Amino acid sequence: MKKTLTLVLCFLMLLTVVGCGDGGGDAANVDFAPIIEEMKKTDTQMPETATITEASDNAETTFGMLAEGFDYSKVEKFIYCYSTTGSPEEIAIVLVKDKSGVGDLMKALQVHIDSRKSTFQAYSPEKANIVDQAVLTYQDRYVFMAIGSTSGAMQDIFKKSIS
């Protein structure tokens, strides 16, 4: 009886350990479009936007403008939403193929944010404060950037949606 109970307990412990994995799921199956739409709703002043994904025509070229110098072959998928009116608002979620690419991507996106800041300070100083509210963060292989007046709320949606 003691051996049987011990075996049952060992089996249950094994099931518990196996069940505590990372959830398995395929990260590439996360649908970014509804996440971006939810984020845009946080900003009642959000201008007209255009959205580019890895499936769009000229995706690599457009991504290169967002993350200049970052090796596009390291990108598994992305969504990039930007203002079509010339205002600074932008939102991007990028899934890199390997976690080792996160740091380089974040550096490239920080350069992009800094460039946007310089541009708006020079040409439209009244909008430069929007860039000051930019958020750049990551979770696992996902990198998130938002430039907008509600970037913090957008970051909360990102963290909730990607977890």
Side-chain angles (χ1 to χ4, degrees), residues 48-63:
E48 180 94 15
T49 60
T51 302
I52 303 292
T53 71
E54 73 285 348
S56 301
D57 291 339
N58 300 316
E60 185 173 353
T61 302
T62 303
F63 188 85

Side-chain angles (χ1 to χ4, degrees), residues 40-102:
K40 287 170 40 177
K41 290 177 185 174
T42 67
D43 187 351
T44 59
Q45 304 293 315
M46 181 65 78
E48 180 94 15
T49 60
T51 302
I52 303 292
T53 71
E54 73 285 348
S56 301
D57 291 339
N58 300 316
E60 185 173 353
T61 302
T62 303
F63 188 85
M65 292 186 291
L66 171 67
E68 188 174 343
F70 184 76
D71 182 358
Y72 185 73
S73 70
K74 295 180 179 181
V75 174
E76 186 162 334
K77 67 185 269 185
F78 77 93
I79 191 165
Y80 174 41
C81 178
Y82 59 92
S83 168
T84 59
T85 65
S87 63
E89 291 84 359
E90 296 182 348
I91 309 167
I93 304 172
V94 182
L95 175 63
V96 293
K97 292 178 181 175
D98 187 81
K99 195 167 182 174
S100 65
V102 168

